[in-house]
């Protein structure tokens, strides 16, 4: 629920923390499982999701605010798919260096409800500035949650964290697989709920 | 072992979309609370995986490269998805619960992810692609029904609210991943 009295900063912080799209409602869980093998992959895929989210919200809000026109969902999906195809082509060498299935995670952003949720729920009836802050809060929240999950998976799954070598051998190599994505994402969601409950008490 | 049978079994276990690859749609948690809800949802996903993978692979590997339009691969897949959704939506007019699971926001990520995985992992042979996709389709149906039955027993009022919903689903998926790996390791 977003109130007209809420400032841009409040919108940003609400989506970033209290109503984090991934940890609170599970939106974008596919990216959390598929694209958090290491922090580099999480940052790359999360940043593309953030870009798609912000562009969708900005375009939707400008069109509805200035031209009183609501963009149909199919046109948003196709435009996002085209944008992600172009970005994938531009970053092809980078995608080859990232873990397997990264390109699939990038493509899936175009059909994820996460990409269109904020633009449909908020941006269509809001000013461009507020829509941008709202989308940025959601997107940055997603990137932060993905980075947190990826840090644990990378540290325990491969014994490294970015360029740092933490262990001589990976403590739990299975965390580098989808198994680790499921387990660490579940733990992150439970921890988020625990923190929210403690704050509310 | 017959290569086609091996491809089917690989699709069923090692390439099972949700359990082995981690292609888990945002709608998965809400739609697998009860088996009666999960069955038509999983059937809709399975129904989309097979034709989308065959048509998507054909477009990606055989048609678009010849036209020099590889960049339009993803938009083409989405158009194919919508075409299939319309087709199945019309054909399944009387099967409303299955039809309700067809839209892009429910099973789109799953079907598209499977199609892209096959395009990336199974480079040659349409027959091999079709058989692998059939295995993935069956694997999705079996895994989702199994998960919803398990959830029905576990994810109840007795469980801590901290773990209800997504944490339980993801925890069960991780256990099923171990099971799929175990079964997969028995295959030649």
């Amino acid at each position: 629920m977003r109130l007209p009295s809420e400032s841009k900063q409040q919108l940003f912080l609400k989506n970033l923390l209290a109503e984090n799209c991934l940890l609170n409602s599970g939106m974008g869980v596919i990216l959390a499982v598929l694209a958090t093998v290491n922090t580099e992959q999480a940052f790359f895929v999360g940043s593309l999701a953030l870009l798609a989210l912000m562009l969708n919200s900005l375009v939707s809000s400008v069109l509805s605010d200035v031209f009183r026109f609501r963009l149909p969902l199919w046109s948003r999906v196709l435009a996002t798919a085209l944008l992600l195809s172009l970005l994938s082509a531009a970053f092809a060498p980078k995608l080859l260096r990232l873990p397997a299935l990264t390109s699939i995670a990038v493509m899936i952003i175009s059909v994820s409800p996460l990409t269109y949720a904020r633009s449909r729920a908020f941006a269509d009836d809001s000013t461009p500035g507020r829509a941008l802050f709202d989308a940025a809060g959601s997107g940055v929240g997603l990137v932060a949650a993905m980075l947190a999950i990826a840090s644990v998976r990378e540290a325990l799954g491969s014994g490294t964290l970015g360029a740092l070598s933490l262990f001589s051998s990976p403590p739990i190599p299975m965390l580098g697989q989808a198994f680790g994505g499921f387990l660490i994402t579940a733990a992150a969601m439970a921890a988020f709920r625990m923190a929210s409950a403690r704050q509310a008490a | 072992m017959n290569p086609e049978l091996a491809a089917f079994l690989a699709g069923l276990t090692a390439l099972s979309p949700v359990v082995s690859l981690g292609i888990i749609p945002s709608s998965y948690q809400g739609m697998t609370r009860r088996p009666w809800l999960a069955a038509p949802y999983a059937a809709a996903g399975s129904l989309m995986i097979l034709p989308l993978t065959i048509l998507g692979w054909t477009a990606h590997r055989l048609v678009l490269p010849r036209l020099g339009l590889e960049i339009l691969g993803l938009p083409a897949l989405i158009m194919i998805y919508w075409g299939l959704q319309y087709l199945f939506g019309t054909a399944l007019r009387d099967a409303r619960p299955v039809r309700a699971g067809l839209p892009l926001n429910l099973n789109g990520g799953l079907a598209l992810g499977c199609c892209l995985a096959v395009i990336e992992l199974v480079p040659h042979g349409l027959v091999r692609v079709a058989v692998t996709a059939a295995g993935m389709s069956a694997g999705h149906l079996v895994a989702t029904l199994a998960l919803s039955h398990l959830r029905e027993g576990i994810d109840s009022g007795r469980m801590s609210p901290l773990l209800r919903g997504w944490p339980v689903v993801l925890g069960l998926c991780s256990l099923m991943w171990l099971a799929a790996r175990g079964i997969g390791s028995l295959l030649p």
Side-chain angles (χ1 to χ4, degrees), chain B:
Chain B
M1 186 188 270
N2 180 315
E4 272 69 43
L5 180 61
F8 180 82
L9 291 174
L12 196 66
T13 55
L15 295 175
S16 167
V18 169
V19 169
S20 301
L21 297 177
I23 301 172
I24 181 163
S26 299
S27 56
Y28 203 70
Q29 192 273 123
M31 302 302 278
T32 56
R33 286 178 198 279
R34 298 281 175 267
W36 57 264
L37 190 69
Y41 168 73
S46 295
L47 203 63
M48 294 304 281
I49 289 172
L50 184 62
L52 183 73
T53 304
I54 295 171
L55 293 173
W57 188 90
T58 309
H60 260 252
R61 294 274 174 195
L62 306 178
V63 181
L64 293 175
R66 289 186 189 170
L67 300 172
L69 295 171
E70 290 99 329
I71 200 81
L72 295 178
L74 183 59
L77 282 184
I78 291 170
M79 302 287 274
I80 294 171
Y81 188 96
W82 278 328
L84 289 170
Q85 185 188 330
Y86 176 77
L87 209 66
F88 286 131
T90 311
L92 299 169
R93 211 175 297 123
D94 298 326
R96 192 184 270 184
V98 178
R99 207 179 57 178
L102 293 174
L104 199 67
N105 62 334
L106 290 179
N107 272 310
L110 172 93
L112 211 66
C114 288
C115 177
L116 291 165
V118 170
I119 288 168
E120 200 168 304
L121 303 173
V122 188
H124 303 295
L126 192 56
V127 174
R128 191 73 57 85
V129 165
V131 174
T132 308
M136 289 169 102
S137 195
H140 173 62
L141 193 64
V142 171
T144 306
L145 289 177
L147 184 128
S148 65
H149 275 96
L150 288 170
R151 250 190 105 180
E152 195 178 32
I154 298 171
D155 198 357
S156 63
R158 282 171 294 165
M159 174 160 272
S160 161
L162 291 178
L163 300 175
R164 250 180 259 161
W166 271 117
V168 166
V169 171
L170 293 170
L172 287 173
C173 282
S174 68
L175 292 178
M176 287 168 68
W177 183 91
L178 286 174
R181 278 294 149 118
I183 295 166
S185 69
L186 298 174
L187 302 174

